[in-house]
């Protein structure tokens, strides 16, 4: 029998291992070492209180309603609450309630802090009534916040209504608990409930204080779409009430609200009107500028903060270090790095700053310094590993980025949602299907899916690896199919040479009342170009006009390109003439449209018109124009355009550009000049030097 049991256990464990494969191999767990000392004898239970679910063993003398016993009982309740043994604590509380032994308010506060379920919260609420503490405003405020955290809004309002019924009106303390609970529970949707509760609070005659207005401001700034109307109304109320005696705190919150609403000028005005600016105010201003993409302004305020003698903390550094990386200001980044080593070397919260430094060095292209900071940090976490992976991926080392996700697990750190989202595009770039499947399985086991961003990356990855059935399966399993997911699936079919299915998917997206974005529109116009579907291209153009996207440079250029490649040059010219905000993209598109239709002279005239109107040509523009010269045999014009590209616009040349010039000069019999270009090409691209002759094309 023992052998059968052991075999059954081993077989079940092997089946579990098969059904739940590990994402990456981990180190085997060594068997437990044999005990060298016998286990100590189990101590008998104490004659005092025991926090078990059974009836506590205690003498009648100890359970008499004697005030001397209350501190010991409260201490035991405290211990059980801290240990997370709330059922045992409630059983003990039931027993003591029947015996008439009182519990202190601090014991109930500990129970409320340890509570994580609604039935237990209601039990504690009932015990508050039994012990005569249902008028204790501190405990009732904690109970209101607990009910809201557990999603029981009606219970929370019932507590406040009960205070009114007992003749003790709720003060600002209790109302603040209600507001704060809405903010914690809201998850971006707390502005409405907080505004309603604030109106009821004022109607009830409770005086609002700085914490009340702080909750109102947090609810607005934390909303998915902050309301400017609520922001200005709150601002007016704050001015009327002299900022409730706390101008520094509330003006900082108001400034954050205006930044979130996109009103940078109003935020700056609030910042300038502050009587005193502490590190929190400076940090909010720097973070607001960084969030709005105003990097230079964020850097200027950081410098002014240092000049004013305000001590920099880790929160400010966490906001400014990414800005330095995006500006590629490596020297300034080194100064900040030295400051961190000098002032924050031994602090526990320096790990976030070190992760930002790794990301900063990687964005500046200095992977050596980034790795040095990473491996010198004493405590590495998922954030720092993700920064290193992102650095490898952005600096042309995708293979190293893929290895990092295995190395971080060897250190015992589990990849989080952001880490997986960082590595999936690497799998797409490397066409690493096996690793992509492993990441997919890991995301399923960790309940990361259905995350919209991860699903979109998986659709792209499977489509790049020629597994369209997997892309379609991931898309089908999504609860909320966004425009980005539709576009990723359409793009996957286009890359796999199936434009008809891509067009059908785009039509299905329109039937589901999804508003396509500019990327989806350009993908469909490209599909129409590939199959020469002029009629369908006109329908997509109609969608562009309907959605008012005709003035977007990317969309306008793609519409011009579609008409040109489908042979309708007049329509291409008409769209180009109607485009108000012309740029290099639309100019390149109309030049290419004339070139595709063998109208080389008109195309070169358009290029001359583009330069005379101060439009800056890009590398793509020069590629198109050089191909036109190659097709028309215009070697002198091609030389002038090539020299202008290198000397005037300082653009990098490609091998195709050199091949075009070499062909033209060789065809014109200018062998020596062609040979010089061939020598220069071999030097720049590390290629063997060919020997040209007059018969060479």
């Amino acid at each position: 029998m023992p052998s059968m049991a052991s075999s059954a256990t081993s077989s079940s464990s092997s089946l579990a291992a098969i059904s739940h494969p590990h994402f990456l191999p981990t180190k085997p767990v060594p068997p437990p070492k044999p005990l060298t000392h016998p286990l100590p004898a189990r101590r008998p239970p104490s004659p005092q209180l025991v926090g078990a679910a059974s009836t506590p063993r205690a003498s009648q003398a100890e359970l008499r309603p004697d005030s001397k016993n209350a501190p010991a009982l409260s201490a035991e309740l405290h211990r059980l609450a801290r240990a997370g043994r709330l059922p045992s604590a409630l059983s003990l509380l039931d027993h003591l309630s029947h015996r008439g032994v009182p519990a202190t308010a601090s014991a109930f506060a500990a129970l409320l802090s340890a509570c994580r379920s609604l039935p237990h919260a209601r039990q504690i609420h009932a015990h508050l009534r039994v012990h005569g503490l249902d008028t204790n405003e501190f405990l009732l405020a904690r109970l209101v916040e607990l009910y809201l955290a557990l999603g029981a809004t009606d219970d929370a309002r019932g507590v406040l209504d009960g205070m009114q019924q007992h003749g003790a009106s709720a003060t600002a303390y209790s109302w603040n608990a209600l507001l704060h609970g809405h903010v914690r529970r809201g998850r971006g949707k707390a502005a409405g409930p907080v505004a309603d509760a604030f109106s009821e609070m004022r109607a009830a005659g409770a005086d609002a204080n700085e914490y009340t207005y702080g909750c109102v401001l947090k609810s607005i700034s934390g909303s998915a779409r902050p309301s400017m109307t609520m922001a200005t109304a709150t601002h007016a109320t704050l001015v009327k009430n002299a900022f409730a005696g706390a101008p520094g705190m509330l003006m900082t919150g108001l400034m954050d609200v205006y930044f979130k609403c996109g009103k940078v000028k109003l935020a700056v005005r609030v910042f300038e009107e502050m009587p005193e600016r502490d590190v929190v105010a400076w940090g909010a201003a720097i973070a607001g500028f960084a969030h709005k993409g105003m990097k230079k302004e964020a850097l200027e305020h950081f410098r002014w903060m240092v000049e004013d003698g305000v001590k920099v903390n880790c929160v400010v550094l966490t906001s400014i270090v990414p800005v330095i990386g995006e500006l590629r200001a490596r020297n300034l980044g080194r100064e900040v790095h030295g400051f961190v080593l000098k002032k924050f070397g031994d602090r526990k919260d320096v790990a976030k700053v070190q992760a930002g430094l790794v990301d900063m060095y990687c964005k500046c292209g200095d992977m050596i310094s980034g790795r040095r900071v990473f491996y010198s940090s004493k405590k590495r976490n998922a954030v720092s590993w993700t920064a290193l992976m992102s650095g490898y991926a952005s600096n042309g080392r995708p293979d190293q980025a893929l290895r990092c996700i295995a190395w971080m697990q060897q250190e015992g750190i589990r990849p989080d949602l952001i880490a997986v989202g960082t590595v999936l595009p690497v799998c797409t770039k490397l066409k690493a299907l096996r690793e992509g499947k492993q990441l997919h399985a890991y995301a399923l086991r960790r309940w990361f899916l259905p995350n919209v961003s991860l699903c979109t990356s998986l659709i792209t990855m499977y489509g790049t690896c020629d597994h369209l059935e997997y892309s379609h399966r991931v898309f089908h399993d999504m609860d909320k199919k966004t425009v980005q997911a539709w576009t990723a699936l359409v793009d996957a079919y286009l890359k796999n040479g199936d434009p008809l299915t891509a067009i059908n998917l785009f039509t299905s997206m329109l039937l589901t009342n999804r508003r396509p974005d500019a990327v989806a529109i350009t993908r469909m116009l490209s599909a129409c170009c590939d199959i020469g579907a002029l009629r369908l291209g006109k329908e997509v153009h109609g969608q562009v006009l309907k959605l008012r996207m005709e003035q977007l440079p990317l969309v306008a250029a793609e519409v011009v390109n579609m008409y040109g490649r489908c042979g309708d040059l007049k329509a291409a010219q008409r769209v180009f003439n109607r485009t108000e905000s012309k740029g290099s993209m639309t100019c390149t598109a109309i030049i290419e449209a004339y070139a595709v239709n063998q109208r080389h002279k008109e195309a070169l005239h358009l290029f001359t018109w583009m330069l005379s109107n101060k439009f800056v040509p890009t590398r793509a523009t020069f590629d198109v124009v050089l191909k036109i010269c190659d097709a028309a045999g215009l070697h002198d014009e091609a030389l002038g355009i090539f020299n202008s590209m290198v000397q005037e616009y300082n653009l990098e040349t490609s091998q195709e550009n050199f091949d075009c010039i070499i062909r033209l000069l060789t065809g014109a019999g200018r062998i020596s000049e062609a040979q010089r270009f061939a020598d220069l090409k071999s030097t720049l691209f590390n290629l063997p030097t060919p020997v040209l002759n007059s018969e060479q094309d």
Side-chain angles (χ1 to χ4, degrees):
M1 293 300 294
S3 62
M4 293 177 63
S6 62
S7 64
T9 304
S10 63
S11 64
S12 65
S13 63
S14 62
L15 286 174
I18 294 173
S19 60
H20 299 284
H22 289 292
F23 167 50
L24 287 173
T26 56
K27 296 181 180 178
V29 179
K33 296 182 180 180
L35 295 173
T36 57
H37 300 285
L39 288 172
R42 187 175 181 180
R43 297 177 63 184
S46 173
Q48 297 180 357
L49 297 174
V50 180
S54 60
T55 304
R57 299 179 181 179
S59 64
Q60 293 293 330
E62 290 170 340
L63 294 178
R64 285 202 314 264
D66 188 354
S67 61
K68 294 181 181 180
N69 216 17
L73 299 175
S74 298
E76 182 67 12
L77 289 173
H78 269 286
R79 186 186 68 80
L80 293 173
R82 284 196 301 269
R85 300 170 60 185
L86 196 60
S88 300
L90 291 174
S91 298
L92 175 60
L93 197 57
D94 283 334
H95 182 79
L96 300 180
S97 299
H98 290 304
R99 294 299 183 98
V101 179
T104 61
S106 62
F108 275 102
L111 294 175
L112 289 171
S113 298
C115 185
R116 296 293 182 270
S117 68
L118 185 59
H120 289 161
R122 287 171 175 164
Q123 280 184 264
I124 298 172
H125 190 185
H127 280 293
L128 283 174
R129 298 191 189 99
V130 172
H131 286 260
L133 295 173
D134 54 341
T135 58
N136 187 307
E137 189 177 5
F138 170 75
L139 294 179
L140 292 179
R142 297 289 298 273
L143 186 62
V144 168
E145 197 167 346
L146 175 62
Y147 274 140
L148 285 174
L150 297 173
T153 307
D154 294 337
D155 293 65
R157 293 309 304 265
V159 174
L160 288 177
D161 294 340
M163 296 179 68
Q164 300 283 350
Q165 293 174 4
H166 287 85
S169 60
T171 62
Y173 189 79
S174 302
W175 283 104
N176 288 345
L178 181 67
L179 297 174
H180 188 249
H182 278 306
V183 172
R184 290 179 58 189
R185 181 71 181 176
R187 296 176 183 176
K189 299 180 181 179
V194 168
D196 295 339
F198 179 66
S199 300
E200 293 181 18
M201 174 184 176
R202 298 182 67 185
D207 294 329
N209 54 25
E210 63 268 24
Y211 301 105
T212 310
Y213 292 111
C215 289
V216 174
L217 292 173
K218 285 181 181 178
S219 69
I220 301 173
S221 62
S223 300
R225 293 182 178 179
S227 172
M228 187 61 188
T229 304
M230 292 181 62
T232 52
T234 306
H235 191 180
T237 306
L238 287 172
V239 172
K240 181 179 179 181
N241 291 277
F243 287 93
M249 182 185 77
L250 295 179
M251 292 181 81
T252 301
L254 184 63
M255 178 178 60
D256 182 58
V257 167
Y258 280 134
F259 270 122
K260 296 291 176 59
C261 292
K263 303 298 181 181
V264 178
K265 291 184 178 179
L266 290 176
V268 172
R269 185 178 300 175
V270 171
F271 179 75
E272 292 174 349
E273 291 175 355
M274 285 185 181
E276 293 182 2
R277 303 186 188 103
D278 56 1
V279 66
V280 180
W282 281 103
I286 293 169
F289 283 119
H291 179 72
K292 300 304 293 183
M294 303 174 70
K295 306 177 186 63
K296 293 183 179 179
E297 289 80 359
L299 203 56
E300 286 178 356
H301 280 73
F302 178 70
R303 288 172 175 164
W304 294 340
M305 173 185 174
V306 175
E307 291 174 359
D308 283 355
V310 181
K311 291 185 178 180
V312 181
N313 59 16
C314 287
V315 178
V316 177
L317 290 174
T318 305
S319 299
I320 199 62
V321 167
V323 174
I324 296 173
E326 292 173 5
L327 290 174
R328 298 182 179 273
R330 190 178 63 162
N331 292 333
L332 180 60
R334 287 180 173 178
E335 294 181 16
V336 174
H337 186 189
F339 177 79
V340 171
L341 292 175
K342 183 178 179 181
K343 298 292 184 180
F344 302 94
D346 298 330
R347 291 184 54 169
K348 295 181 179 179
D349 55 353
V350 76
K352 295 182 179 179
V353 183
Q354 288 177 333
L357 288 172
V358 173
D359 181 65
M360 181 270 297
Y361 279 123
C362 293
K363 286 180 179 177
C364 294
D366 190 356
M367 283 300 301
I368 297 175
S369 299
R371 290 182 58 187
R372 187 180 296 120
V373 174
F374 176 80
Y375 286 109
S376 64
S377 58
K378 297 179 181 179
K379 186 178 179 181
R380 293 190 284 270
N381 52 23
V383 179
S384 55
W385 274 104
T386 304
L388 186 65
M389 284 187 288
S390 178
Y392 277 127
S394 60
N395 284 276
R397 298 291 301 277
D399 51 338
Q400 288 292 94
L402 200 56
R403 293 189 187 101
C404 280
I405 203 164
W407 294 337
M408 70 183 293
Q409 290 180 99
Q410 292 176 1
E411 287 193 357
I413 301 173
R414 287 185 175 183
D416 57 5
L417 177 65
I418 300 176
V420 176
T422 302
V423 179
L424 273 176
V426 174
C427 297
T428 303
K429 188 174 183 178
L430 295 175
K431 293 188 177 181
L433 179 62
R434 182 174 64 88
E435 288 80 1
K437 286 182 176 180
Q438 289 177 341
L439 285 167
H440 190 181
Y442 178 80
L444 288 171
R445 286 202 302 274
R446 292 294 307 277
W447 297 97
F448 291 161
L449 299 177
N451 177 273
V452 175
S453 178
L454 282 188
C455 288
T456 305
S457 297
L458 285 169
I459 292 170
T460 304
M461 186 270 295
Y462 283 127
T464 305
C465 296
D466 301 331
H467 279 66
L468 288 175
E469 65 278 8
Y470 288 167
S471 295
H472 201 279
R473 190 180 304 173
V474 172
F475 178 79
H476 179 72
D477 292 338
M478 293 179 66
D479 295 332
K480 184 180 179 181
K481 297 175 176 62
T482 60
V483 174
Q484 290 76 20
W486 279 100
T487 306
L489 189 61
V490 168
D491 200 34
Y493 277 95
L494 287 176
K495 289 179 179 178
N496 283 270
D498 192 356
L500 294 177
T501 306
I503 291 171
N504 292 332
L505 285 170
F506 181 77
T507 305
S508 301
M509 179 178 70
L510 296 178
L511 293 176
T512 58
N513 295 324
R514 290 288 189 275
R515 186 182 186 275
D517 56 5
V519 178
I521 291 291
T522 54
R523 293 289 189 275
M524 288 314 304
L525 290 170
S526 177
C528 296
C529 292
D530 293 338
I531 62 176
L534 179 60
R535 180 177 178 181
L536 182 61
K538 289 181 178 179
E539 294 180 5
V540 178
H541 186 198
Q543 289 290 331
V544 170
L545 297 174
K546 181 180 178 181
L547 298 172
R548 298 181 179 179
M549 292 184 179
E550 64 272 13
Q551 295 304 324
L552 295 178
L554 178 65
V555 177
E558 200 62 42
V559 172
V560 171
N561 188 36
M562 182 273 297
Y563 279 120
R565 291 177 63 183
C566 291
D568 194 346
L569 193 57
K570 290 183 178 179
Q573 185 68 57
R574 189 163 53 247
V575 173
F576 177 77
N577 293 336
R578 267 203 315 261
T579 304
E580 296 178 1
S581 56
K582 296 181 178 66
S584 61
M585 294 182 66
T586 50
C587 291
T588 303
I590 192 63
I591 291 171
E592 189 172 11
Y594 275 91
V596 169
N597 289 274
Q598 307 299 317
R599 306 277 291 273
H600 299 137
K601 289 185 178 180
E602 291 90 336
L604 291 179
H605 287 317
L606 283 171
F607 178 67
T608 305
W609 173 87
M610 173 184 177
L611 297 180
S612 62
N613 283 273
K614 308 300 181 182
F615 293 112
V616 180
T618 62
R619 180 174 170 178
T621 309
F622 281 105
D623 290 341
V624 171
V625 175
L626 287 175
K627 288 179 182 178
I628 294 172
C629 295
D630 190 11
L634 304 173
H635 49 85
D636 288 329
E637 290 82 352
L639 277 176
I641 292 170
F642 186 88
N643 292 332
S644 174
M645 175 183 178
V646 176
Q647 298 175 6
E648 186 175 352
Y649 295 98
N650 196 24
L651 296 173
E652 293 184 1
T653 55
S654 64
Q655 295 187 42
E656 290 76 12
N657 299 145
F658 276 97
D659 292 338
C660 174
I661 297 296
I662 292 170
R663 278 195 303 270
L664 285 170
L665 292 176
T666 304
R670 301 163 67 173
I671 305 300
S672 59
E673 295 180 66
Q675 186 64 54
R676 286 200 301 271
F677 275 95
D679 296 340
L680 182 58
K681 172 190 170 184
S682 62
T683 303
L684 292 176
F685 300 102
N686 296 321
L687 299 174
T689 304
V691 179
L692 304 177
N693 53 63
S694 58
E695 298 179 356
Q696 211 164 346
D697 255 355

